Short mmCIF file of all heavy atoms in Angstrom, two decimals:
data_model
loop_
_atom_site.label_atom_id
_atom_site.label_comp_id
_atom_site.label_asym_id
_atom_site.label_seq_id
_atom_site.Cartn_x
_atom_site.Cartn_y
_atom_site.Cartn_z
N ASN A 11 164.83 -58.54 115.61
CA ASN A 11 165.31 -58.32 114.24
C ASN A 11 164.14 -58.03 113.32
O ASN A 11 163.24 -58.86 113.15
CB ASN A 11 166.05 -59.56 113.73
CG ASN A 11 167.35 -59.80 114.45
OD1 ASN A 11 168.00 -58.87 114.93
ND2 ASN A 11 167.75 -61.06 114.54
N SER A 12 164.16 -56.85 112.71
CA SER A 12 163.24 -56.54 111.61
C SER A 12 164.00 -56.79 110.31
O SER A 12 165.16 -56.41 110.19
CB SER A 12 162.79 -55.08 111.67
OG SER A 12 162.10 -54.81 112.87
N TYR A 13 163.35 -57.42 109.35
CA TYR A 13 164.00 -57.73 108.08
C TYR A 13 163.33 -56.99 106.94
O TYR A 13 162.09 -56.83 106.91
CB TYR A 13 163.94 -59.24 107.80
CG TYR A 13 164.79 -60.06 108.73
CD1 TYR A 13 164.23 -60.72 109.81
CD2 TYR A 13 166.17 -60.18 108.53
CE1 TYR A 13 165.01 -61.49 110.67
CE2 TYR A 13 166.96 -60.95 109.39
CZ TYR A 13 166.37 -61.59 110.45
OH TYR A 13 167.15 -62.34 111.30
N LEU A 14 164.15 -56.55 105.99
CA LEU A 14 163.69 -55.99 104.74
C LEU A 14 164.08 -56.94 103.62
O LEU A 14 165.27 -57.24 103.44
CB LEU A 14 164.33 -54.62 104.49
CG LEU A 14 163.78 -53.43 105.27
CD1 LEU A 14 164.75 -52.27 105.19
CD2 LEU A 14 162.42 -53.02 104.71
N VAL A 15 163.09 -57.45 102.90
CA VAL A 15 163.34 -58.33 101.76
C VAL A 15 162.99 -57.56 100.49
O VAL A 15 161.90 -56.99 100.39
CB VAL A 15 162.50 -59.62 101.85
CG1 VAL A 15 162.67 -60.46 100.60
CG2 VAL A 15 162.89 -60.41 103.09
N GLY A 16 163.92 -57.54 99.53
CA GLY A 16 163.68 -56.83 98.29
C GLY A 16 164.86 -55.97 97.90
O GLY A 16 165.93 -56.03 98.52
N GLU A 17 164.68 -55.18 96.89
CA GLU A 17 165.72 -54.25 96.44
C GLU A 17 165.04 -53.08 95.75
O GLU A 17 163.82 -53.10 95.52
CB GLU A 17 166.72 -54.98 95.54
CG GLU A 17 166.11 -55.84 94.45
CD GLU A 17 167.15 -56.81 93.86
OE1 GLU A 17 168.24 -56.35 93.51
OE2 GLU A 17 166.83 -58.01 93.75
N PRO A 18 165.78 -52.03 95.43
CA PRO A 18 165.12 -50.84 94.89
C PRO A 18 164.22 -51.09 93.70
O PRO A 18 163.16 -50.45 93.55
CB PRO A 18 166.30 -49.93 94.52
CG PRO A 18 167.38 -50.33 95.46
CD PRO A 18 167.22 -51.81 95.65
N ALA A 19 164.59 -52.03 92.83
CA ALA A 19 163.79 -52.28 91.62
C ALA A 19 162.49 -53.03 91.90
O ALA A 19 161.59 -53.05 91.05
CB ALA A 19 164.62 -53.04 90.59
N THR A 20 162.38 -53.66 93.08
CA THR A 20 161.19 -54.47 93.38
C THR A 20 160.35 -53.89 94.51
O THR A 20 159.21 -54.33 94.71
CB THR A 20 161.59 -55.90 93.79
OG1 THR A 20 162.35 -55.85 95.02
CG2 THR A 20 162.44 -56.56 92.71
N GLY A 21 160.89 -52.94 95.26
CA GLY A 21 160.25 -52.55 96.49
C GLY A 21 160.54 -53.58 97.57
O GLY A 21 161.26 -54.57 97.33
N TYR A 22 159.99 -53.36 98.75
CA TYR A 22 160.39 -54.16 99.91
C TYR A 22 159.19 -54.70 100.69
O TYR A 22 158.13 -54.08 100.75
CB TYR A 22 161.24 -53.31 100.86
CG TYR A 22 162.55 -52.88 100.26
CD1 TYR A 22 162.62 -51.72 99.49
CD2 TYR A 22 163.70 -53.62 100.44
CE1 TYR A 22 163.82 -51.31 98.92
CE2 TYR A 22 164.91 -53.22 99.88
CZ TYR A 22 164.95 -52.07 99.11
OH TYR A 22 166.15 -51.68 98.55
N ILE A 23 159.43 -55.86 101.30
CA ILE A 23 158.51 -56.43 102.29
C ILE A 23 159.21 -56.34 103.64
O ILE A 23 160.37 -56.76 103.77
CB ILE A 23 158.16 -57.89 101.97
CG1 ILE A 23 157.38 -57.98 100.66
CG2 ILE A 23 157.36 -58.52 103.11
CD1 ILE A 23 157.10 -59.42 100.21
N VAL A 24 158.54 -55.79 104.63
CA VAL A 24 159.07 -55.73 105.99
C VAL A 24 158.54 -56.93 106.76
O VAL A 24 157.33 -57.18 106.78
CB VAL A 24 158.67 -54.42 106.69
CG1 VAL A 24 159.07 -54.47 108.17
CG2 VAL A 24 159.31 -53.23 106.01
N ILE A 25 159.45 -57.66 107.37
CA ILE A 25 159.06 -58.79 108.23
C ILE A 25 159.34 -58.38 109.68
O ILE A 25 160.48 -58.06 110.03
CB ILE A 25 159.85 -60.06 107.87
CG1 ILE A 25 159.58 -60.48 106.42
CG2 ILE A 25 159.49 -61.20 108.83
CD1 ILE A 25 160.42 -61.64 105.95
N ASP A 26 158.31 -58.36 110.49
CA ASP A 26 158.39 -58.00 111.91
C ASP A 26 158.91 -56.58 112.11
O ASP A 26 160.10 -56.34 112.36
CB ASP A 26 159.26 -58.99 112.69
CG ASP A 26 158.54 -60.28 113.01
OD1 ASP A 26 157.29 -60.27 113.03
OD2 ASP A 26 159.20 -61.30 113.26
N PRO A 27 158.01 -55.58 112.02
CA PRO A 27 158.43 -54.20 112.25
C PRO A 27 158.89 -53.93 113.67
O PRO A 27 159.58 -52.95 113.92
CB PRO A 27 157.18 -53.39 111.91
CG PRO A 27 156.05 -54.35 112.06
CD PRO A 27 156.59 -55.69 111.67
N GLY A 28 158.52 -54.84 114.60
CA GLY A 28 159.01 -54.70 115.96
C GLY A 28 158.13 -53.81 116.82
O GLY A 28 156.96 -53.57 116.51
N PRO A 29 158.68 -53.29 117.90
CA PRO A 29 157.90 -52.43 118.79
C PRO A 29 157.61 -51.08 118.12
O PRO A 29 158.23 -50.72 117.12
CB PRO A 29 158.82 -52.26 120.01
CG PRO A 29 160.21 -52.43 119.46
CD PRO A 29 160.08 -53.45 118.36
N ALA A 30 156.70 -50.34 118.71
CA ALA A 30 156.32 -49.04 118.16
C ALA A 30 157.34 -47.99 118.58
O ALA A 30 157.04 -47.04 119.31
CB ALA A 30 154.92 -48.66 118.62
N ASP A 31 158.56 -48.15 118.10
CA ASP A 31 159.65 -47.24 118.38
C ASP A 31 159.83 -46.35 117.15
O ASP A 31 160.21 -46.81 116.08
CB ASP A 31 160.92 -48.01 118.68
CG ASP A 31 162.09 -47.12 119.03
OD1 ASP A 31 162.66 -46.52 118.09
OD2 ASP A 31 162.46 -47.03 120.21
N ALA A 32 159.56 -45.06 117.30
CA ALA A 32 159.52 -44.15 116.15
C ALA A 32 160.85 -44.11 115.40
O ALA A 32 160.87 -44.12 114.16
CB ALA A 32 159.11 -42.75 116.61
N GLU A 33 161.95 -44.07 116.11
CA GLU A 33 163.24 -43.99 115.45
C GLU A 33 163.54 -45.27 114.68
O GLU A 33 164.05 -45.23 113.56
CB GLU A 33 164.35 -43.71 116.48
CG GLU A 33 164.30 -42.31 117.06
CD GLU A 33 165.52 -42.01 117.91
OE1 GLU A 33 166.48 -42.80 117.88
OE2 GLU A 33 165.51 -40.97 118.60
N HIS A 34 163.24 -46.40 115.29
CA HIS A 34 163.46 -47.69 114.62
C HIS A 34 162.63 -47.77 113.34
O HIS A 34 163.15 -48.16 112.27
CB HIS A 34 163.10 -48.82 115.57
CG HIS A 34 163.14 -50.19 114.94
ND1 HIS A 34 164.31 -50.80 114.57
CD2 HIS A 34 162.13 -51.05 114.60
CE1 HIS A 34 164.05 -51.99 114.04
NE2 HIS A 34 162.73 -52.16 114.05
N LEU A 35 161.38 -47.38 113.42
CA LEU A 35 160.51 -47.46 112.25
C LEU A 35 160.94 -46.49 111.16
O LEU A 35 160.86 -46.79 109.97
CB LEU A 35 159.06 -47.21 112.67
CG LEU A 35 158.50 -48.22 113.68
CD1 LEU A 35 157.11 -47.80 114.15
CD2 LEU A 35 158.45 -49.62 113.08
N ASP A 36 161.42 -45.33 111.56
CA ASP A 36 161.90 -44.37 110.57
C ASP A 36 163.13 -44.91 109.83
O ASP A 36 163.27 -44.73 108.61
CB ASP A 36 162.25 -43.04 111.25
CG ASP A 36 162.65 -41.97 110.25
OD1 ASP A 36 161.79 -41.59 109.43
OD2 ASP A 36 163.83 -41.54 110.27
N LYS A 37 164.00 -45.60 110.58
CA LYS A 37 165.18 -46.19 109.93
C LYS A 37 164.77 -47.30 108.96
O LYS A 37 165.38 -47.45 107.89
CB LYS A 37 166.13 -46.74 111.00
CG LYS A 37 166.80 -45.65 111.84
CD LYS A 37 167.50 -46.24 113.05
CE LYS A 37 168.01 -45.13 113.97
NZ LYS A 37 168.53 -45.65 115.24
N LEU A 38 163.76 -48.07 109.32
CA LEU A 38 163.24 -49.09 108.40
C LEU A 38 162.72 -48.44 107.13
O LEU A 38 163.01 -48.88 106.00
CB LEU A 38 162.12 -49.89 109.07
CG LEU A 38 162.44 -51.16 109.84
CD1 LEU A 38 161.17 -51.74 110.44
CD2 LEU A 38 163.11 -52.19 108.94
N TRP A 39 161.93 -47.40 107.31
CA TRP A 39 161.33 -46.71 106.17
C TRP A 39 162.41 -46.14 105.26
O TRP A 39 162.34 -46.26 104.04
CB TRP A 39 160.41 -45.61 106.70
CG TRP A 39 159.71 -44.83 105.63
CD1 TRP A 39 158.55 -45.17 104.99
CD2 TRP A 39 160.13 -43.58 105.08
NE1 TRP A 39 158.21 -44.21 104.07
CE2 TRP A 39 159.16 -43.22 104.10
CE3 TRP A 39 161.20 -42.73 105.30
CZ2 TRP A 39 159.25 -42.04 103.35
CZ3 TRP A 39 161.29 -41.56 104.56
CH2 TRP A 39 160.35 -41.22 103.60
N ARG A 40 163.42 -45.53 105.85
CA ARG A 40 164.51 -44.94 105.06
C ARG A 40 165.33 -46.01 104.35
O ARG A 40 165.77 -45.82 103.21
CB ARG A 40 165.40 -44.07 105.95
CG ARG A 40 164.70 -42.82 106.46
CD ARG A 40 165.63 -41.94 107.30
NE ARG A 40 164.90 -40.81 107.84
CZ ARG A 40 164.62 -39.70 107.15
NH1 ARG A 40 165.04 -39.59 105.88
NH2 ARG A 40 163.96 -38.71 107.70
N ALA A 41 165.57 -47.14 105.03
CA ALA A 41 166.33 -48.22 104.40
C ALA A 41 165.62 -48.76 103.16
O ALA A 41 166.27 -49.23 102.22
CB ALA A 41 166.56 -49.35 105.39
N ALA A 42 164.30 -48.67 103.15
CA ALA A 42 163.51 -49.12 102.00
C ALA A 42 163.27 -48.00 101.00
O ALA A 42 162.56 -48.21 100.00
CB ALA A 42 162.17 -49.68 102.48
#
């Protein structure tokens, strides 16, 4: 589980980005 803490007005902190999986990381980036 990778977690995003925050909201658009504050920006985000990523907790545990996980393995170096390009698609997973891109989804994290887009969600933030």
Side-chain angles (χ1 to χ4, degrees):
N11 292 330
S12 299
Y13 291 100
L14 283 165
V15 175
E17 47 196 310
T20 64
Y22 295 86
I23 295 174
V24 172
I25 299 174
D26 281 338
D31 182 284
E33 289 188 11
H34 173 70
L35 298 174
D36 185 64
K37 291 168 187 172
L38 269 178
W39 181 84
R40 292 182 184 280

